[in-house]
Amino acid sequence: MKTVCVTQDVPANALALSPDNLQVVIAGRHVFKIFSIEEEDLVEKANLRAGKHLNLNFSCNDVVWNPVEDSVLATASTNGAVVTWNLNKPSRSKMDCVSFHPCESHLLISGSHDGFMKLFDLRRREATQTFTSNAESVRDVQFNPHHSMNFCAVSENGNVQLWDMRRPDRVEKQFTAHGGPIFALDWHPEVKTWIATAGRDKTIKVWDLNEIPTVCNTIQTIASVGRVKWRPNTKYHIASSALLWDCSINVWDIRRPYIPLAAFNEHKNLTTSICWRGDPNSLLSVGKDCTLIHHSFQDAARPMEDVNPAALDISIYGNISNASRIKEDSEPTGSLTKLSVFRKPANFGEHIGQVLSSIQMRNCEEDGPVSTHHLVESAKQYLLTGRSLGEICEHNAGVAKKLNRHQIALTWQILQMLYVGVGGGSDHLSGHQGSSRDDPTVQPDTSLENEQRSSRHFSGGDAGGDTSGGGFSAEEGDTETDDTDNHDLKLTNIASGMTINQDFFFGDGEITQIPFDYENLSNMDTSQDWALPNEAFEPRHDILQRSAIPPQEFSSKCSPREIQEAGYVVETPSLLSEMRGTGAPAWKCSDLVVEMLYYYATHGDVQMSVTCFIVLRDRLKELLDADQVEHWFISYIDILQHLHMECYNQVIHLQKAFPSVRQQNQQSTSVTLHCGRCNFFPLAEQSSVESNEHVFHHNPRGNL
Amino acid sequence: VSVISNVETGHDDMIHDAQMDYFGTRLATCSSDRSIKIFEVKGSSQTLIADLREHEGPVWQVAWAHPMYGNILASCSYDRKVIIWQEDGHKWKKIHEYANHDSSVNSVCWAPHEHGLILACASADGSVSIMTSTAHTWESKKITNAHSIGCNAVSWAPAVASGSADGSNRSGSAVQRIVTGGCDTYVKIWRFDSTNGEWTEESKLEGHSDWVRDVAWAPSIGLPRSIIASCSQDRRVIIWMNDGVTGVWQPRELNTFDDVIWHVSWSVTGNILAVSGGDNKVSLWKESLEGQWVCLSDSAKGQPASEQRTL
């Protein structure tokens, strides 16, 4: 049967099912009706208030149906009366909460606010026995379904009392169950020694009533619990409704006490009473929203299923933490202990036990894709100012190479090439020749050559790569003097017109003839070496970058010069010194460099964009959008802040380099330097000088 | 991504969230057992430094605020409350509790620090609350009916420097935007209108066919374009890109996985996405030059997914 809702005019406080589970009675201050539970609907059968005797006896706090005689009901009225109803004719007595004896249909026990419990025999008119508890008001009382002589009562002082009906003078067992008032109790329908109690402390506790009653399980809920009812035919499930704030009815599995198994959310106001219809899939309830609702278990919301079993986060250092649920592969067994772990079964059923998760921290390798190790090291070691452009590029290229960031190294070398030129400045001749080797790979003079080179790049072959890779690293940077002869042959020289006495050809056959070709090959193969593990797409970009240059541009610019220079054999030295000094590339590469900066930013390496910009700023300033650059600066500073103080010396460089950033630094709180270690928050108006000092007190080896 | 160390958290039930702080030195975890635990992380060892128990129901998410405000952590729970904690000396105490939702609060996210100390909370009652702190008092604003059945995730847009990204806004203050994902399968973008002080829906992105479980706005890397990743119970992750010029969000499906995807998270540099799913695998994705998203590594395979690289 599906979920059905019937609305009244007034709220009901209690409900009870007839012994055959076909009828339900609801009772409240102003309502007292019987409904019949049909296939699709709840049909009102009788309105017990519609009668001539309309008095306070009719406003009820609790109602029970005689488990044996299906025409007898009893209600506890607000005026203290217990009224028993024969659906044929009514009679009366006096009380608050009532419970029928499971077998003897004429016996009724009730508990009242004054702390007494009275046993009634319906055949007589007055109470046969009175049980005095030293408690305050008795909030709930219930006969033990397994031992008909016993009943249990819970009271507002948190006590649970077990009585034997035949001994009214002395309580059989008594214990304190909750820290505050207990509002509900329910004997387990099958397990003879289990009883559930719940109260204002928002917990539901399951007790095993052995010699010494002990708590088996505790369920923490989010509001005071008003009613609890064990779910039929399931050992571990119990339904509860709250007195305040939470309008839903929750069904809990006591083995997983943190989150409900199922929740019925149909009530718009607090639920006042719940009752299982003898069947684990049907639940009836009444609420303050004046409705009587039949709930179908299959329609219930499943909070347990909707929860998120996984967690994920990446830290600034590239460490990934991941939490995931532990899944057991074994089949659930019949007996479940608290520590067993089970896979969630496909049918939302009975075998749910404790669930655990494990967290794993994955620390990435230094070269891994998420690692920021190179960013940190580069930030520490890069030079940005203080030396000539050539030296800076040289140094940075060396730093990048050591970090296995070959494309970055290449980029620095390209920059050096573009703006300083091979042999430009005394740097070159004094031994920093490592960078010059790589020029040809960057400065194409024909696109055709590009393509050939690019095909070489990919088809280079690993065998060549190994040996040349070894050779390459051995010559790191400064030690190749054997190149002196060849440097003039570099294509850049050719392109920029610095070639001296060399004949060469343009065209397809060129590569095979020129000796320095092998160095190119070795360079490329080395690049390919590192390309395989992770940064596969970068070399491709290099190619793209190169091939973007229209060939005509070069040949038109270079050839006249080159032809011109080719003739100058004798006057080489002076020419060389002249050309050295220009620093300006022979072709307009600034656009390309700007494109490169944007490329790096797009692909997440804002450090490269920012540092290149600082190094080259005068040459590029007018070509770049100031706002864009500012944005890069801010992003970079933010990343540095993530990485802590060691890198802050970089920030000083940045501030000096870009005045508007410094200004923003001063104006907005977003770029303040925050020292995470000593909780010092510099004011936004501080000048960069003061921040410098502060930086240095944590990093004495400032790099200025 | 390889070396794995297990963190012994001592939680009694399922862990729903684990977040590392701004500097990557602390880990906060929260669980169904209603507790939040904070660990100090050094290399591959972790030590427990705090155990916070104020929630009355399972805690769904935790979020670290920017360190300029001190050490602040926010948590949200099934008990409909959002609690904000602050570290004082070596003790953590509750500095604020927000209980104005009608149902479980599913997600919390701090705004970029440029906007101030602001927290967004998404709840299963379908509304999103934005709480702003000014001088130790908290005010809140609610976006009611953000998503019809419930809201599962919320994420803030990075605070873009004035004028550089949003070409239309050169006035100087960064625009506040959030993205939310809900049970109605939509991903919605909301923008704060500072003239009337209200949050309005700016875009509604359709693409998923089941509950959206997590949304993440990629950190800004200096470009006008914005990227949002969303993952859903339909086992897909979709990347939404807005080039900042046309204002249109283009979806691109990352992949269809074998199981529900619960989380997506961007690396700080903003171009690598980590995805974690019900099959307990974590995979890393990056955009290649052609604009395709390729898998860099997959925890299940244990090594870089070399065959998936497109060149």
Side-chain angles (χ1 to χ4, degrees), chain A residues 202 220-222 245-248 250 252 256-260 263 303 305-327 344 354-365 368-370 372 375 458 531-538 540-541 544 598-599 601-606 625 627-628 630-632 634-635 637-639 641-644 664 669-672 674 676 681, chain B residues 1-7 9 11-25 27 29 32-34 41 43-44 46 56-58 60-61 66-70 78-81 99 101 113-114 159-165 170 211 213 220-225 233 259 262-269 271-280 282 284 286-290 294 296-297 299 304 309-311:
Chain A
K202 307 181 194 168
Q220 178 81 32
T221 71
I222 61 176
W245 200 50
D246 184 6
C247 305
S248 56
N250 293 315
W252 305 83
R256 184 124 179 248
Y258 305 111
I259 183 169
E305 262 183 10
D306 291 336
V307 303
N308 184 353
L312 179 67
D313 192 34
I314 308 184
S315 84
I316 179 63
Y317 295 107
N319 298 329
I320 295 179
S321 71
N322 160 242
S324 55
R325 185 191 168 139
I326 296 175
K327 288 187 180 174
K344 210 186 293 187
Q354 191 185 30
V355 172
L356 294 173
S357 293
S358 66
I359 291 191
Q360 291 159 344
M361 293 272 287
R362 298 161 199 268
N363 305 311
C364 68
E365 317 91 347
V370 231
T372 47
L375 201 143
F458 281 94
L532 282 172
N534 37 29
E535 304 190 86
F537 30 81
E538 285 169 338
R540 172 121 171 143
H541 173 79
L544 278 178
Y598 273 97
Y599 164 74
T602 319
H603 287 265
D605 196 351
V606 73
D625 177 24
D627 287 326
Q628 180 64 68
E630 192 176 312
H631 193 169
W632 289 343
I634 291 167
S635 307
I637 290 176
D638 190 48
I639 293 179
Q641 285 180 322
H642 267 284
L643 291 168
H644 249 306
Q664 178 159 56
T669 53
S670 64
V671 199
T672 43
H674 163 63
F681 297 90
Chain B
V1 185
S2 62
V3 178
I4 291 180
S5 60
N6 265 313
V7 178
T9 54
H11 277 298
D12 299 322
D13 202 292
M14 198 190 278
I15 294 171
H16 298 297
D17 201 14
Q19 292 287 325
M20 284 188 270
D21 73 340
Y22 186 83
F23 296 114
T25 52
L27 176 70
T29 62
S32 268
D33 69 358
R34 311 184 307 272
V41 174
S44 56
Q46 306 88 19
E56 287 161 346
W60 299 135
Q61 268 197 16
H66 193 277
M68 66 187 284
Y69 298 107
Y78 180 72
D79 67 357
R80 310 172 189 180
K81 293 191 200 146
H101 277 288
H113 63 271
E114 294 87 345
V160 170
S162 59
S164 59
R170 289 190 172 262
W211 290 18
R213 279 291 173 178
S220 156
I221 41 173
L223 282 181
R225 77 174 180 167
Q233 251 170 261
D259 201 341
W262 296 102
H263 274 297
V264 283
S265 182
W266 292 97
S267 68
V268 176
T269 50
N271 62 335
I272 295 184
L273 181 70
V275 174
S276 97
D279 45 7
N280 286 352
V282 177
L284 297 176
K286 185 170 173 158
E287 192 183 15
S288 73
L289 289 168
E290 291 83 25
V294 293
L296 296 180
S297 81
S299 67
R309 243 178 286 120
T310 57
L311 276 178

Side-chain angles (χ1 to χ4, degrees), chain B residues 6-272:
Chain B
N6 265 313
V7 178
E8 288 300 321
T9 54
H11 277 298
D12 299 322
D13 202 292
M14 198 190 278
I15 294 171
H16 298 297
D17 201 14
Q19 292 287 325
M20 284 188 270
D21 73 340
Y22 186 83
F23 296 114
T25 52
R26 287 196 178 162
L27 176 70
T29 62
C30 64
S31 160
S32 268
D33 69 358
R34 311 184 307 272
S35 70
I36 299 164
K37 293 188 196 230
I38 303 178
F39 298 85
E40 187 91 28
V41 174
K42 274 192 179 53
S44 56
S45 72
Q46 306 88 19
T47 38
L48 178 68
I49 53 177
D51 189 348
L52 312 173
R53 288 179 186 266
E54 283 273 345
H55 279 292
E56 287 161 346
V59 188
W60 299 135
Q61 268 197 16
V62 286
W64 290 94
H66 193 277
M68 66 187 284
Y69 298 107
N71 280 333
I72 294 185
L73 185 71
S75 62
C76 66
S77 157
Y78 180 72
D79 67 357
R80 310 172 189 180
K81 293 191 200 146
V82 173
I83 294 183
I84 300 179
W85 312 81
Q86 183 160 27
E87 188 181 27
D88 183 15
H90 286 289
K91 288 201 173 310
W92 283 84
K93 54 184 175 63
K94 173 168 88 170
I95 58 171
H96 186 70
E97 184 180 294
Y98 178 77
N100 207 7
H101 277 288
D102 301 323
S103 191
S104 163
V105 184
N106 290 332
S107 174
V108 279
C109 186
W110 288 101
H113 63 271
E114 294 87 345
H115 296 310
L117 190 61
I118 305 181
L119 182 70
C121 328
S123 166
D125 63 2
S127 63
V128 176
S129 296
I130 316 284
M131 300 161 58
T132 311
S133 164
T134 38
H136 301 295
T137 56
W138 292 82
E139 318 168 336
S140 66
K141 239 186 207 4
K142 232 189 215 195
I143 304 174
T144 49
N145 275 324
H147 290 271
S148 60
I149 307 170
C151 226
N152 287 332
V154 63
S155 173
W156 284 83
V160 170
S162 59
S164 59
D166 187 355
S168 60
N169 174 31
R170 289 190 172 262
S171 57
S173 62
V175 177
Q176 293 186 14
R177 277 197 178 90
I178 58 172
V179 60
T180 59
C183 301
D184 54 1
T185 77
Y186 295 129
V187 172
K188 291 188 185 175
I189 297 174
W190 306 82
R191 184 195 150 116
F192 184 66
D193 191 349
S194 41
T195 53
N196 63 4
E198 291 300 323
W199 285 84
T200 49
E201 183 182 317
E202 195 182 55
S203 309
K204 179 162 104 167
L205 309 175
E206 294 182 44
H208 284 294
S209 54
D210 203 340
W211 290 18
V212 177
R213 279 291 173 178
D214 201 10
V215 288
W217 203 309
S220 156
I221 41 173
L223 282 181
R225 77 174 180 167
S226 305
I227 307 182
I228 293 175
S230 67
C231 66
S232 156
Q233 251 170 261
D234 62 5
R235 300 177 296 133
R236 287 185 297 156
V237 173
I238 296 182
I239 309 284
W240 307 86
M241 295 204 234
N242 183 337
D243 58 8
V245 172
T246 57
V248 171
W249 291 88
Q250 295 290 343
R252 170 164 291 146
E253 184 178 310
L254 186 81
N255 195 16
T256 301
F257 295 82
D258 300 326
D259 201 341
V260 174
I261 300 298
W262 296 102
H263 274 297
V264 283
S265 182
W266 292 97
S267 68
V268 176
T269 50
N271 62 335
I272 295 184

Side-chain angles (χ1 to χ4, degrees), chain A residues 538-567:
Chain A
E538 285 169 338
R540 172 121 171 143
H541 173 79
D542 261 338
I543 311 293
L544 278 178
Q545 203 175 23
R546 289 177 224 142
S547 58
I549 305 163
Q552 299 79 13
E553 195 181 331
F554 299 132
S555 32
S556 61
K557 280 188 178 167
C558 301
S559 36
R561 260 195 151 162
E562 153 263 307
I563 292 169
Q564 210 178 359
E565 303 314 326

Side-chain angles (χ1 to χ4, degrees), chain A residues 445-459:
Chain A
D445 41 3
T446 59
S447 62
L448 214 52
E449 209 173 290
N450 278 348
E451 277 148 39
Q452 288 192 330
R453 192 166 290 116
S454 58
S455 61
R456 204 170 282 275
H457 192 111
F458 281 94
S459 60

Side-chain angles (χ1 to χ4, degrees), chain A residues 173-221:
Chain A
K173 252 183 230 175
Q174 180 172 266
F175 58 95
T176 306
H178 289 265
I182 311 177
F183 296 135
L185 84 112
D186 198 26
W187 287 91
H188 197 286
E190 283 149 36
V191 179
K192 299 205 174 114
T193 51
W194 278 11
I195 192 168
T197 59
R200 186 181 286 168
D201 63 354
K202 307 181 194 168
T203 58
I204 302 171
K205 294 190 185 180
V206 179
W207 300 85
D208 191 327
L209 299 172
N210 282 324
E211 279 307 313
I212 302 173
T214 45
V215 178
C216 308
N217 303 80
T218 305
I219 296 172
Q220 178 81 32
T221 71

